[in-house]
Amino acid sequence: MVSMKQYRLNSVAVSGAALLPQVLEKIFSTLVYVPDGQSKEGRSRALKNVRRHAASLMVKIGNKYPLLLLPVFDQIRATVENLSRPEGSANLSTLEKVTLLEALLLISNHFGDYERQSTFAGEILHEANAQFLAIVNSGALKGAAEFISFIGLNKPAVPANTDNICGQNRSNLFFCVNLVLGAIKRCSWPDDPERATRGGFVVSLTESGNPVCRNPAAPHVVPLLPHILSLIKIFNELFTPEAQNLIHDSYKGCLAMPETEKSNLLGLIGHSSDCGDNLVIQSPLERMQRFLTTLHESCYHMIGSMGPSLGRDLYNISDLALAITNSVLAYLQYVPDYRLRPIIRVFMKSFVFSCPAPYYEVVLLPVLAHISPILLNRLHGNWQRVIEFRNREVQEDNADTQEVLEDFLTRALTREYLDVLKVALVGGSLTPESNSETMETEELSNSPTPPPTRSNLTSEVISDLGLILLRCDKTCQSIVLAVLGGLSWIDSNASLKATLLTGPIVRQLTIDASLNGEMATHIMAAVLNALILHGQHEANQGSLLTLGAQIYELLRPSFIEVLRVMQQIPGVNPVDLQKLDERISGSTSKGNRIEKVKKDLFKKITGNLIGKSVGQLFKKEVKINNLPQIIINKKEQKDIVPDLRTLYNSS
């Protein structure tokens, strides 16, 4: 039986290898397909999709079945190089060329030899690195003014099919950034530690004895990091008033939020009526906006992928925290929310998650000390504006599209920042969403996510990085206030995320004796406000009641102020408060029983605060009075005595 199974597997492998040349020929023929009458500058949407899917299929095969392509690697490389020639008939677009090179990098991950793989990565990146350095040497990345001139933002708009130096500059920059991004994402060391050791990927061991591997692309990518950070700084600087004044009138609005991103955020994306055969014709303003938006997101995906891909090769760079602060986090007061989201969602989350423990204080602490007060002020201002807008909407029954958009943006930004704080304070994992290549927004519905379990609320402990952040004066207050603000804001999803963080934070601050009466009052009030706003949601209510009972138990012995907060609850019974204090001070019950009693008491005390859902607010009890009595006539029942003789005779 085993031999038959092995025979079948070998047969499949042989048949796959036999069909591979035909499959590759079909993919490459589709990739270069151009119908009559269409040029490179005027391809239809359908044609672009077909060619893009053919190139992406090579990446998919290289990712899932690299060992199948490894024996024919040289032939695939020769084909890709032939198709990528500028004077060739394939006329590949920049993204098509980059995608094919990414497929080669994926296959090279199975060379099993660091030197060979690193040399190949250098050959792939040679053209992009040379162009990037030429752009740097031209002075285009010195500042916003030079960059605006380099890409033609200060000149009148030029039609699509017109040859101009600024258009070529944009194309070269786009190619460089996306190929470097592809190398960072695709190049990796072997998953098997033994293969990594044999191949020369392991350079040292961690404090716990795990191998530290080096990325084959690191020697070719790390030298470009200062220039990449300069480009990102320029993107932030473009939003300053001085830079805005340099932009030509025909390009005004190119930095605005794209309509597709607005539609994604508002959930207005539907099926397009375009069949795809029409030529894609964009105005110069639309092309410039698309270029800037795509390049901006590619830059953040690039540095966001550096942490997981390069590891210690990145965090070991001298003065990395200062470089990040002076580039990625520069001019944040001018950056709008829709451009702040990639910084939080794509860069910060993976940057914090991937940082090795020895670099917490050297790298992460200065970065978070810089950005956490800025984000607190930004979110606090947004929260107030959204509340004012919602109150005005209720009174006037009128909702402006821009105000609704700001509401959704604030919700998204709040949730994403809380996700970053969760990774920093208690640990977490990177979701596929943070590494996706688009900034598609998850559904921003008002319905809360599934509730956290009761054990999660009590078992979460502050991580080593969290201890550093909570014990540092530059980060503690801004982080704690951001979590409490999210807890008691109008978004139920954000409140649920903050609920998981509030308990561990308060527990640790109590252990460290870092709280005072004013802060204890603020914490207790935030929990009660959250119950008022979100108590009608079953998921939020259970978590908040558990959290409230825990917070009161932690703070009540040291701060009489929390009792005064509880006494201000409308209709509160002093006897119930006294019972809760007795349970906390010296309980007669033990184990889970006391926890349930405390939670039930807390629920009884705060019952008047918990609101009802809209569906239950005006519910009218159904009452039918004076129903006529239904008289049921009883049938007369006669006792029937069976004839036993008949029964026996029938048997």
Side-chain angles (χ1 to χ4, degrees):
M1 181 64 69
V2 175
S3 59
M4 180 60 69
K5 182 178 181 180
Q6 187 65 36
Y7 171 77
R8 289 175 179 173
L9 291 175
N10 291 337
S11 299
V12 172
V14 170
S15 61
L19 293 174
L20 183 60
Q22 303 175 37
V23 173
L24 293 178
E25 182 181 357
K26 191 68 175 178
I27 292 174
F28 286 122
S29 62
T30 305
L31 178 65
V32 300
Y33 170 71
V34 179
D36 295 335
Q38 291 196 25
S39 62
K40 182 178 180 180
E41 292 76 17
R43 291 172 180 168
S44 66
R45 188 179 303 276
L47 178 60
K48 286 186 175 183
N49 287 339
V50 167
R51 292 171 63 107
R52 179 169 55 88
H53 282 301
S56 300
L57 184 57
M58 287 300 300
V59 172
K60 189 172 184 178
I61 297 175
N63 189 31
K64 290 192 172 184
Y65 310 104
L67 297 180
L68 192 63
L69 299 179
L70 190 59
V72 293
F73 174 78
D74 291 334
Q75 295 93 311
I76 296 176
R77 180 181 181 182
T79 303
V80 171
E81 290 177 348
N82 182 50
L83 295 177
S84 302
R85 287 186 293 110
E87 66 278 5
S89 59
N91 285 328
L92 296 182
S93 67
T94 301
L95 281 181
E96 291 166 356
K97 180 179 178 180
V98 169
T99 305
L100 290 178
L101 294 177
E102 287 185 34
L104 293 178
L105 291 171
L106 281 171
I107 303 172
S108 71
N109 288 335
H110 296 268
F111 285 170
D113 183 351
Y114 172 82
E115 294 298 335
R116 181 187 174 193
Q117 188 176 345
S118 181
T119 301
F120 175 71
E123 294 171 356
I124 291 292
L125 289 170
H126 176 73
E127 180 184 359
N129 287 10
Q131 289 187 9
F132 210 157
L133 292 178
I135 293 172
V136 172
N137 293 332
S138 69
L141 303 184
K142 285 184 178 180
E146 291 80 3
F147 181 76
I148 287 174
S149 177
F150 179 75
I151 64 174
L153 267 179
N154 59 345
K155 302 175 180 65
V158 178
N161 297 329
T162 305
D163 292 333
N164 67 96
I165 186 63
C166 294
Q168 187 61 45
N169 290 341
R170 293 194 296 268
S171 178
N172 292 340
L173 183 59
F174 191 76
F175 169 71
C176 296
V177 169
N178 280 278
L179 186 55
V180 174
L181 167 62
I184 293 172
K185 291 178 61 178
R186 305 303 183 184
C187 286
S188 65
W189 52 81
D191 295 330
D192 184 8
E194 294 184 2
R195 289 187 61 230
T197 303
R198 290 196 305 267
F201 294 89
V202 178
V203 292
S204 63
L205 298 177
T206 64
E207 296 76 9
S208 57
N210 296 321
V212 176
C213 296
R214 50 180 176 169
N215 192 300
H220 316 288
V221 170
V222 171
L224 297 177
L225 182 60
H227 311 311
I228 295 170
L229 294 179
S230 297
L231 178 59
I232 293 175
K233 180 181 180 180
I234 288 172
F235 270 113
N236 292 352
E237 191 180 356
L238 287 177
F239 292 98
T240 62
E242 295 79 8
Q244 292 284 317
N245 292 333
L246 298 176
I247 299 177
H248 193 271
D249 290 341
S250 58
Y251 284 126
K252 294 292 185 182
C254 65
L255 295 174
M257 188 177 185
E259 291 300 322
T260 53
E261 194 171 335
K262 292 180 183 179
S263 300
N264 269 325
L265 194 64
L266 297 174
L268 301 178
I269 290 296
H271 296 287
S272 175
S273 59
D274 183 13
C275 63
D277 294 330
N278 298 327
L279 296 181
V280 180
I281 301 176
Q282 292 181 324
S283 67
L285 175 60
E286 290 173 333
R287 285 188 290 110
M288 182 63 77
Q289 184 184 40
R290 183 179 180 87
F291 163 76
L292 291 172
T293 302
T294 307
L295 191 65
H296 180 272
E297 292 182 0
S298 296
C299 286
Y300 280 107
H301 282 291
M302 184 194 307
I303 60 172
S305 300
M306 280 186 177
S309 297
L310 303 184
R312 299 196 179 209
D313 286 330
L314 171 67
Y315 295 96
N316 199 35
I317 295 176
S318 178
D319 296 327
L320 177 63
L322 182 62
I324 294 291
T325 302
N326 291 337
S327 57
V328 180
L329 307 182
Y331 303 106
L332 287 187
Q333 66 271 29
Y334 299 105
V335 178
D337 290 344
Y338 59 88
R339 284 292 163 260
L340 190 60
R341 288 187 63 203
I343 301 177
I344 304 303
R345 178 182 183 177
V346 180
F347 167 64
M348 284 299 300
K349 189 173 182 180
S350 64
F351 187 72
V352 172
F353 175 81
S354 305
C355 183
Y359 301 94
Y360 285 166
E361 295 190 34
V362 180
V363 177
L364 290 188
L365 183 59
V367 170
L368 290 170
H370 178 85
I371 195 174
S372 56
I374 296 175
L375 287 177
L376 175 63
N377 293 333
R378 172 71 66 92
L379 289 174
H380 187 268
N382 288 359
W383 292 337
Q384 295 300 320
R385 283 195 300 274
V386 170
I387 291 175
E388 293 173 2
F389 146 65
R390 289 173 67 89
N391 292 336
R392 187 168 63 252
E393 179 188 354
V394 171
Q395 296 174 1
E396 301 176 1
D397 194 21
N398 181 28
D400 183 76
T401 303
Q402 184 59 36
E403 291 176 332
V404 174
L405 190 64
E406 184 176 351
D407 184 346
F408 276 69
L409 268 174
T410 303
R411 292 173 188 268
L413 192 61
T414 303
R415 297 176 191 179
E416 289 159 5
Y417 183 48
L418 288 173
D419 287 338
V420 174
L421 293 182
K422 182 179 186 297
V423 172
L425 294 174
V426 299
S429 61
L430 285 180
T431 61
E433 175 187 61
S434 60
N435 288 331
S436 63
E437 296 184 5
T438 60
M439 285 294 295
E440 293 177 353
T441 307
E442 73 279 4
E443 183 183 358
L444 293 172
S445 62
N446 289 326
S447 58
T449 54
T453 61
R454 186 169 174 272
S455 60
N456 285 343
L457 290 171
T458 56
S459 63
E460 292 281 13
V461 294
I462 298 297
S463 63
D464 293 339
L465 174 59
L467 290 176
I468 295 174
L469 297 176
L470 292 180
R471 290 171 179 172
C472 176
D473 295 337
K474 296 181 179 180
T475 54
C476 179
Q477 184 175 4
S478 56
I479 288 177
V480 173
L481 290 178
V483 173
L484 294 178
L487 178 71
S488 56
W489 192 54
I490 59 175
D491 183 42
S492 57
N493 263 325
S495 179
L496 199 56
K497 290 176 181 290
T499 303
L500 283 175
L501 297 178
T502 305
I505 288 175
V506 176
R507 193 179 303 116
Q508 187 60 49
L509 293 178
T510 304
I511 294 173
D512 294 342
S514 302
L515 293 174
N516 54 32
E518 182 181 358
M519 197 63 192
T521 301
H522 184 70
I523 294 171
M524 199 71 244
V527 176
L528 297 182
N529 286 333
L531 273 172
I532 295 173
L533 289 170
H534 309 296
Q536 71 270 22
H537 301 300
E538 183 178 351
N540 292 78
Q541 182 185 125
S543 302
L544 287 170
L545 289 174
T546 302
L547 175 66
Q550 292 175 359
I551 296 298
Y552 188 78
E553 183 177 10
L554 287 169
L555 301 181
R556 175 65 181 88
S558 302
F559 304 102
I560 190 66
E561 290 87 349
V562 297
L563 176 61
R564 299 193 186 111
V565 174
M566 298 291 287
Q567 289 172 341
Q568 296 175 20
I569 297 176
V572 65
N573 189 341
V575 177
D576 293 331
L577 278 175
Q578 185 177 356
K579 288 181 180 179
L580 183 58
D581 286 347
E582 291 174 356
R583 292 289 183 182
I584 292 173
S585 59
S587 307
T588 56
S589 304
K590 294 182 180 180
N592 292 332
R593 172 64 181 167
I594 184 175
E595 296 299 329
K596 186 178 186 307
V597 171
K598 292 175 187 175
K599 182 177 178 180
D600 291 343
L601 272 173
F602 191 84
K603 182 177 182 180
K604 182 180 180 182
I605 293 169
T606 58
N608 292 333
L609 295 179
I610 300 175
K612 292 184 178 181
S613 63
V614 176
Q616 299 293 326
L617 281 178
F618 306 103
K619 182 178 179 181
K620 187 176 181 180
E621 296 293 336
V622 178
K623 294 182 180 180
I624 303 177
N625 299 323
N626 302 324
L627 284 176
Q629 186 177 1
I630 299 177
I631 301 175
I632 301 176
N633 296 325
K634 296 183 179 180
K635 295 182 179 180
E636 295 183 1
Q637 295 182 355
K638 296 181 179 180
D639 295 335
I640 300 176
V641 180
D643 189 348
L644 296 179
R645 291 174 299 177
T646 306
L647 291 175
Y648 284 115
N649 290 336
S650 61
S651 61

